[in-house]
Amino acid sequence: MLTGDVFVSEGLITDDQLQLAIAKQLELGGTEPIARVMVDMGIISERDRVRLMGKVWGITFADVSTVTPEADAIGLVTAQTAKRFKCLPLARRGDKLIVAMANPLDVFVIDELRMNTGLEIEPVIGVESDILESVGAIYKVETSNVSEALQGMMKDFDGDMAIQSGDDEEDISADQLKAMGEDAPIVRLANLIVNQAVADGASDIHIEPRRDGLVVRLRVDGIMLEAMRLPKKVIAPLTSRFKIVANMDIAEKRAPQDARISAVINGKEYDFRVNTLPLIYGEKIVMRVLDKGGISIGLSKLGFLEHNLKMLEDMAQRSYGIVLVTGPTGSGKSTTLYSLINQTNDGLKNIVTIEDPVEYELESINQCSVNNRAGMTFAAGLRAMLRQDPDVIMVGEMRDNETATIAMEAALTGHLVFSTLHTNDAPSAPTRLIDMDVEPFLISSSIVGVLAQRLIRVICPKCKESYTTSRESLLRYGFPVPEEVGAETGGEVTLFRGAGCDHCKGTGFKGRSGIHEMLEVSDEIRDLILHGQPAHIIRKTALEQGMKTLQMDAVQKILMGNTSVDEVLRVVYS
């Protein structure tokens, strides 16, 4: 059995953290394993839990996310078997097959694999989510299947219901559209698009009607990549298919529609937020992909440098005040907010959130959604929440004076508040609130810190390569390079980049991490806010007090080999 003491002895947690986890375990009824409780609290990672479980069992741990399985091993196990048993063949050694398993003690699975392959099975333990992701990527549907689905669809639609390029789609009845959307080849094609997006780790699926056909694009690690081009005749039936699944009005083509789809893909639960927008050549569909079990909760997982992480963790332990997270859309603000409230979730507090909409469901946290039609605005919801005896409040976004004022007043009356704001950097947040007509005394008294952040792509570990450049070349880009960098090597600096491989689809990047700017509101900065000083004065004072800018943080990530010069130029200096 995996006890908390094992994690203490390994140096992964402190005694105090273990006591917090034990208290949380007792609150949950005492039946949940302590290691699982610590993962849910963000104290340890799932990878650490699995690794130490393997150590206790005497089974080798395999980091599946960084291992490339051998082709002859993959060919011994079918995709259906790998998905069903949550296992991944890694290598063949004579008459022995090494297999990564989520549960390497499952003798029934081991026996089944032994009978199917005719080899002895050597199980190693791996993280379940990594195994499923690798299985999805390695065994994904080949392009030939896309062609087969398209050919079948063309054949079926060459009859009376075929839509020729010159036809007016407005003349097609709702019944015809429904029949097209339920046709087997269209169903297969729609499923293929969604499965491909999940396998590629896409955050959004864009289905775009053009003059000469339909283009499917996926947003992977923040970048739009073209996945497939389809003929014009599939526009109406494919659009209808997604509308049917999302319970939208098929006949409504001139107004935007919003809906939500839930699905289980490769054993994992996903939500898809679906939106349609009428364009000149048809309706564009965008689907936001939300992996309900895959959100990386925990401040330690978000790429914080030690200096910023300690400040943010201290702020999350305050009993009152407001912490703001700023940045543009798609900069990871929601994930950081979830991680912050998860950090405070010790089972002893009443935590309430209001979001638009609720993206991820968190255990033992009370979450509600904005519903403007029903009068449930951020401000109205926040007022109601304050009558629910909260300790910690999360407000998805401060959009107006009323919401911001109520949140600030709540922070002054003994509540810890987390929220987001749209500003380019941390020192601009107080002046943005003043522009929203929030009283300066409220701002200066309530804010304890502001975090600005961006997301940058991480260099692919499988094709990562080093190269040497001069310190002067980095300075020419405008990077704030520390004086000591290159001092002992004659001004030469070793950096890294991704060469491009199959694992990262030739991009050189796999996954994303954060870069951060953490403004701690000191007494001096409070005085500047109270007197309405502009952002550049606040920024100057914060830098004197040790604040690290987004640019400084990004340079550290370059020097650490996490990302590349070009990626930082794209994200921070664009």
Side-chain angles (χ1 to χ4, degrees):
M1 182 179 177
L2 198 58
T3 64
D5 294 334
V6 177
F7 295 93
V8 176
S9 63
E10 289 284 322
L12 294 172
I13 64 171
T14 64
D15 285 321
D16 290 341
Q17 288 175 314
L18 177 57
Q19 293 309 312
L20 281 174
I22 291 171
K24 180 68 173 177
Q25 183 189 38
L26 292 173
E27 184 208 338
L28 295 173
T31 57
E32 188 80 3
I34 189 68
R36 177 62 63 190
V37 172
M38 289 192 290
V39 171
D40 293 341
M41 292 176 68
I43 296 175
I44 62 169
S45 68
E46 175 67 6
R47 188 166 275 101
D48 287 332
R49 184 190 75 83
V50 173
R51 180 174 59 82
L52 285 193
M53 187 174 290
K55 188 172 183 178
V56 169
W57 289 343
I59 296 174
T60 304
F61 171 72
D63 189 350
V64 176
S65 64
T66 61
V67 173
T68 303
E70 296 176 3
D72 58 343
I74 290 294
L76 293 169
V77 177
T78 66
Q80 291 77 11
T81 300
K83 290 175 183 176
R84 179 184 170 195
F85 295 135
K86 299 175 183 176
C87 65
L88 181 68
L90 299 179
R92 179 175 179 175
R93 298 291 179 265
D95 62 350
K96 187 181 294 183
L97 181 65
I98 301 170
V99 182
M101 299 174 61
N103 181 8
L105 301 183
D106 193 331
V107 294
F108 297 105
V109 172
I110 292 172
D111 286 343
E112 182 86 15
L113 291 171
R114 185 185 295 117
M115 286 188 292
N116 289 347
T117 63
L119 301 172
E120 287 300 312
I121 305 300
E122 180 182 325
V124 296
I125 191 168
V127 178
E128 181 177 319
S129 59
D130 289 346
I131 291 173
L132 289 173
E133 183 178 344
S134 295
V135 167
I138 291 167
Y139 289 102
K140 66 185 177 184
V141 182
E142 298 296 333
T143 308
S144 59
N145 286 351
V146 178
S147 300
E148 181 185 336
L150 284 174
Q151 288 169 5
M153 180 193 61
M154 299 302 176
K155 181 179 178 182
D156 288 348
F157 277 87
D158 279 341
D160 294 337
M161 280 196 329
I163 303 172
Q164 303 303 327
S165 298
D167 288 350
D168 185 357
E169 295 184 12
E170 292 297 326
D171 295 335
I172 304 171
S173 70
D175 288 340
Q176 281 182 304
L177 288 171
K178 184 176 181 183
M180 291 176 180
E182 292 177 342
D183 196 76
I186 281 291
V187 172
R188 291 201 304 272
L189 178 60
N191 292 343
L192 179 63
I193 290 169
V194 171
N195 278 282
Q196 189 67 50
V198 169
D200 290 346
S203 61
D204 300 87
I205 305 169
H206 291 246
I207 299 169
E208 305 173 340
R210 305 279 178 86
R211 178 193 295 272
D212 55 350
L214 189 73
V215 176
V216 179
R217 296 199 294 166
L218 307 177
R219 187 177 294 279
V220 181
D221 293 335
I223 301 297
M224 295 288 284
L225 302 173
E226 186 173 308
M228 61 183 77
R229 285 182 173 266
L230 304 169
K232 186 175 181 180
K233 64 169 68 176
V234 311
I235 294 176
L238 190 60
T239 301
S240 298
R241 178 61 198 165
F242 284 116
K243 283 185 169 184
I244 289 168
V245 175
N247 289 318
M248 290 179 171
D249 184 355
I250 297 177
E252 179 56 78
K253 306 172 189 175
R254 299 181 180 181
Q257 297 186 65
D258 288 284
R260 199 174 185 118
I261 301 171
S262 292
V264 177
I265 300 172
N266 293 336
K268 297 177 71 176
E269 291 186 20
Y270 290 85
D271 273 350
F272 299 87
R273 290 215 316 258
V274 188
N275 173 267
T276 66
L277 180 68
L279 302 180
I280 56 175
Y281 297 116
E283 292 176 276
K284 175 175 178 177
I285 295 177
V286 176
M287 293 188 284
R288 168 65 57 89
V289 183
L290 301 172
D291 180 354
K292 295 174 74 172
I295 184 171
S296 182
I297 290 291
L299 294 176
S300 60
K301 303 175 186 177
L302 304 183
F304 283 96
L305 295 178
E306 188 176 349
H307 172 73
N308 288 333
L309 179 61
K310 175 136 190 354
M311 274 200 294
L312 199 56
E313 286 178 335
D314 289 344
M315 290 175 189
Q317 298 305 316
R318 299 282 188 99
S319 57
Y320 65 92
I322 188 164
V323 179
L324 292 174
V325 182
T326 77
T329 301
S331 59
K333 298 190 298 295
S334 294
T335 301
T336 300
L337 282 184
Y338 283 129
S339 297
L340 278 167
I341 61 174
N342 201 60
Q343 183 86 8
T344 68
N345 187 20
D346 55 8
L348 306 175
K349 299 183 180 74
N350 176 24
I351 303 175
V352 190
T353 77
I354 179 164
E355 308 166 55
D356 184 21
V358 173
E359 291 190 2
Y360 298 97
E361 298 172 12
L362 301 180
E363 193 68 32
S364 71
I365 290 174
N366 308 289
Q367 298 171 268
C368 61
S369 287
V370 166
N371 188 338
N372 290 317
R373 289 183 180 179
M376 182 65 162
T377 61
F378 273 116
L382 190 49
R383 279 201 192 90
M385 286 160 54
L386 290 173
R387 296 191 289 272
Q388 292 275 316
D389 184 33
D391 297 297
V392 180
I393 297 169
M394 186 186 102
V395 183
E397 185 181 344
M398 286 189 179
R399 295 178 178 173
D400 53 62
N401 169 274
E402 187 179 13
T403 303
T405 299
I406 297 169
M408 301 279 175
E409 290 172 346
L412 291 178
T413 54
H415 304 91
L416 182 60
V417 181
F418 299 116
S419 189
T420 69
L421 198 65
H422 284 281
T423 63
N424 289 327
D425 57 18
S428 299
T431 53
R432 172 75 183 106
L433 290 167
I434 291 173
D435 290 342
M436 291 166 62
D437 294 326
V438 180
E439 294 292 343
F441 79 88
L442 271 180
I443 303 169
S444 64
S445 304
S446 60
I447 295 182
V448 296
V450 183
L451 170 70
Q453 68 178 53
R454 301 287 189 277
L455 288 178
I456 52 170
R457 291 181 292 171
V458 176
I459 297 172
C460 174
K462 295 187 184 297
C463 61
K464 186 176 184 178
E465 61 182 22
S466 63
Y467 68 99
T468 304
T469 188
S470 66
R471 184 175 186 275
E472 285 70 24
S473 66
L474 293 178
L475 291 172
R476 282 198 296 271
Y477 282 123
F479 291 154
V481 184
E483 291 290 338
E484 65 272 13
V485 172
E488 298 179 358
T489 55
E492 293 294 305
V493 183
T494 299
L495 303 179
F496 297 85
R497 61 193 170 202
C501 63
D502 291 339
H503 183 62
C504 61
K505 297 191 178 300
T507 62
F509 298 96
K510 190 69 175 177
R512 289 191 291 177
S513 184
I515 53 174
H516 308 93
E517 178 176 283
M518 189 75 235
L519 169 67
E520 188 172 26
V521 180
S522 63
D523 289 340
E524 189 175 353
I525 290 176
R526 288 186 199 285
D527 192 55
L528 294 175
I529 296 171
L530 188 61
H531 290 88
Q533 292 295 322
H536 71 272
I537 300 295
I538 296 174
R539 183 181 190 82
K540 181 174 180 293
T541 304
L543 287 170
E544 291 169 356
Q545 295 177 354
M547 182 185 81
K548 305 295 184 185
T549 64
L550 283 168
Q551 290 83 354
M552 293 175 182
D553 196 85
V555 167
Q556 287 298 314
K557 303 292 170 62
I558 292 174
L559 297 174
M560 290 164 62
N562 293 349
T563 192
S564 69
V565 170
D566 289 342
E567 177 66 3
V568 169
L569 288 171
R570 181 185 72 85
V571 174
V572 183
Y573 287 85
S574 59

